Amino acid sequence: MLLSSVKQYLNLALPYADIDPESWEKLQYPRKTMEATIPMRHDDGTLKTYRAYRCQYDDTLGPTKGGIRYHTSVNREHAEILAFLMTFKCAVAKVPFGGAKGGITVDPKSLSHRELERLSKAYIAAFSDFIGPDLDIPAPDMGTDEITMGWMYSEYKRIKGGNPRGIITGKPVPLGGIKGRTTATGYGGYYVLDYILNKLQSNRQVSIAVQGLGNVGYWFANKCQQEGLKIVAVSDVGGGTYNPKGIDPNNIEGEKISNKELLELPVEVLVPAAIENVITEKNVGNIKAKLILELANSPTSYEADLLLENKNVFVIPDILANSGGVIVSYFEWLQNRQAQEWEEDEVNLQLRNKIRTATQKVFERCIEHGISMRTAAYSLALKRIGGANECLGNKGYFQK
Ligand code: NAD
């Protein structure tokens, strides 16, 4: 996946954004990408060096926001692509943030907990002057979790003093984390799907295949089951299970299938919820689902996306479908700044309201202009970011 590839979505969206192309041009490159080298002494005495990144793509709408990923595939461009997606995700969800992302090139499973704690604290020390509750607010991503956020929060607090809880989201609840953050992305995906199913068809008799029963996929599948939607296939990195009669995500029984087969099943709804780039030019011809809900970031390549549109497959893009996580992160940041504690029911209710409003706005644009949901989402985000830029005057204004 290349930054130049995802940026093509902006070209498709510009004609519908109703903004001066100057604002579009400003979004072609990240505002700032920082790199650091972290030497760390391992438990066995050896010193190893790790590469770390933080990209702040655009801060027009507020402090930048985005996760920290620990994975061997992390590099500068990877951070920039994910920060780009965060920029537009925050604008579609209408949370007052720009987009950021960061990470360390490491396999977290290869480290002990003591090593992970040292590495996480060193990451914060390296970037402490560039992040802050009003500047750039990290969160968990693949390979990091709430305890990582707890270590990072305590290190930031040690360096800067005070109790700056709004510096990071996804913290453990006793350290200012919010209830309902774990389920947020999966539940948010369900609320989006529920809205769209009601618009597109009169019944909810759909079969759903979920690739990646991790945090996001599991809570999505769980919510679908609670709400009477039928999951027929699930998988993890080791392979999948298919049962046309229905699968209980807590008691998985059925025929064993591969991840490749899962993507090509005869289902109504396909939900990639694992990794990037799983729907490409190579397999798009075999996809039978009529609706794709992108819970993973960037699961569809740009070329495959165009082919899906030609096949009339209704794709609900990542920047809308998986925005439940950043919406509840925003609630956590608000809760911290107001020294409040929200109850879980309240979090879920506010999440439902906010993500349904975003879905409605994107769907209305999609119908009004006859464009894909992805182009509708990018054009809505571009309009919001461009509109904020143009408050300071555009070319027409300064020519007078
Ligand atoms: P996770 O690590 O909890 O789960 C990932 C799942 O995918 C696991 O079941 C894993 O076994 C499976 N998987 C890994 N590699 C695979 C492969 N090659 N083929 C099939 N399955 C594979 O991660 P998560 O937090 O659930 O995140 C999943 C996706 O959702 C990622 O793309 C992430 O960027 C995106 N996302 C997560 C959040 C969040 O709040 N966690 C928010 C927005 C987007």
Side-chain angles (χ1 to χ4, degrees):
M1 178 75 51
L2 301 168
L3 183 58
S4 55
S5 172
V6 286
K7 274 195 318 199
Q8 294 182 80
Y9 294 128
L10 291 187
N11 304 349
L12 300 180
L14 182 63
Y16 307 98
D18 189 25
I19 55 158
D20 197 303
E22 286 177 344
S23 291
W24 166 86
E25 209 178 322
K26 209 177 140 190
L27 290 161
Q28 294 298 309
Y29 297 98
R31 301 308 299 273
K32 211 184 273 179
T33 306
M34 288 144 292
E35 301 187 21
T37 302
I38 302 178
M40 188 189 70
R41 183 78 55 195
H42 282 233
D43 294 347
D44 67 1
T46 55
L47 186 80
K48 283 194 189 153
T49 301
Y50 294 89
R51 296 288 292 150
Y53 305 87
R54 184 73 185 165
C55 170
Q56 297 166 354
Y57 200 92
D58 181 79
D59 65 352
T60 306
L61 296 180
T64 50
K65 180 98 191 74
I68 298 174
R69 182 173 289 198
Y70 290 178
H71 196 271
T72 49
S73 66
V74 168
N75 59 35
R76 185 186 177 104
E77 186 166 22
H78 202 250
E80 290 179 345
I81 292 169
L82 293 167
F84 171 94
L85 293 178
M86 281 305 292
T87 302
F88 294 93
K89 193 180 298 184
C90 291
V92 170
K94 218 165 189 281
V95 290
F97 296 134
K101 206 79 176 195
I104 304 179
T105 317
V106 61
D107 172 8
K109 293 204 179 75
S110 69
L111 300 182
S112 71
H113 288 166
R114 287 181 304 278
E115 288 163 345
L116 278 174
E117 183 190 18
R118 284 201 291 280
L119 190 64
S120 303
K121 290 187 167 181
Y123 180 92
I124 288 300
F127 295 115
S128 62
D129 284 341
F130 305 102
I131 59 174
D134 286 312
L135 201 59
D136 181 16
I137 306 139
D141 194 78
M142 281 164 75
T144 56
D145 56 16
E146 63 171 35
I147 193 162
T148 324
M149 298 303 108
W151 293 330
M152 289 183 168
Y153 167 62
S154 64
E155 180 66 1
Y156 186 81
K157 182 174 155 170
R158 189 189 65 75
I159 295 169
K160 299 285 177 184
N163 281 282
R165 288 188 159 184
I167 171 61
I168 208 158
T169 60
K171 299 180 293 296
V173 171
L175 292 180
I178 196 163
K179 293 167 191 155
R181 175 61 186 87
T182 311
T183 53
T185 309
Y187 280 17
Y190 168 78
Y191 296 136
V192 173
L193 178 63
D194 178 59
Y195 181 95
I196 294 296
L197 287 180
N198 283 329
K199 290 285 172 192
L200 295 186
Q201 56 186 73
S202 50
N203 71 64
R204 289 162 55 88
Q205 305 303 311
V206 290
S207 51
I208 305 173
V210 183
Q211 184 189 48
L213 209 60
N215 171 280
V216 175
Y218 171 76
W219 287 111
F220 168 78
N222 217 47
K223 184 76 177 163
C224 285
Q225 194 193 33
Q226 277 172 28
E227 303 290 342
L229 291 182
K230 189 161 83 173
I231 305 289
V232 297
V234 294
S235 72
D236 64 17
V237 67
T241 307
Y242 177 46
N243 187 343
K245 292 191 187 131
I247 287 181
D248 174 353
N250 296 302
N251 183 22
I252 299 165
E253 286 176 2
E255 177 198 340
K256 294 289 162 225
I257 54 168
S258 67
N259 266 297
K260 180 180 178 296
E261 287 167 331
L262 180 139
L263 294 170
E264 299 172 6
L265 284 173
V267 291
E268 273 90 31
V269 182
L270 175 63
V271 185
I275 50 163
E276 295 142 25
N277 236 15
V278 292
I279 303 173
T280 64
E281 278 172 296
K282 287 195 187 129
N283 63 356
V284 69
N286 302 330
I287 303 277
K288 298 177 193 69
K290 285 275 150 266
L291 195 156
I292 296 177
L293 178 75
E294 293 186 338
L295 289 188
N297 281 317
S298 226
T300 312
S301 74
Y302 177 74
E303 293 74 20
D305 193 55
L306 299 184
L307 294 167
L308 287 170
E309 202 179 337
N310 287 341
K311 277 176 53 169
N312 282 327
V313 178
F314 194 90
V315 179
I316 307 177
D318 46 7
I319 58 169
L320 171 65
N322 69 30
S323 62
V326 76
I327 290 173
V328 173
S329 285
Y330 164 55
F331 297 157
E332 180 175 336
W333 180 78
L334 265 187
Q335 175 190 269
N336 292 154
R337 294 173 74 95
Q338 297 168 345
Q340 288 188 357
E341 198 180 317
W342 295 22
E343 289 310 320
E344 194 163 344
D345 287 351
E346 179 66 11
V347 172
N348 288 333
L349 181 69
Q350 297 292 341
L351 164 63
R352 184 176 181 278
N353 289 344
K354 205 152 177 60
I355 206 163
R356 282 178 73 96
T357 303
T359 311
Q360 181 191 346
K361 295 268 182 233
V362 174
F363 186 70
E364 283 170 1
R365 276 183 164 256
C366 154
I367 299 299
E368 185 189 340
H369 299 292
I371 52 181
S372 71
M373 285 287 278
R374 195 184 313 272
T375 301
Y378 273 99
S379 68
L380 176 65
L382 258 185
K383 187 178 166 61
R384 286 180 174 158
I385 300 169
N389 278 323
E390 288 177 21
C391 290
L392 303 175
N394 59 11
K395 187 175 168 191
Y397 177 85
F398 284 110
Q399 276 172 342
K400 285 183 190 148

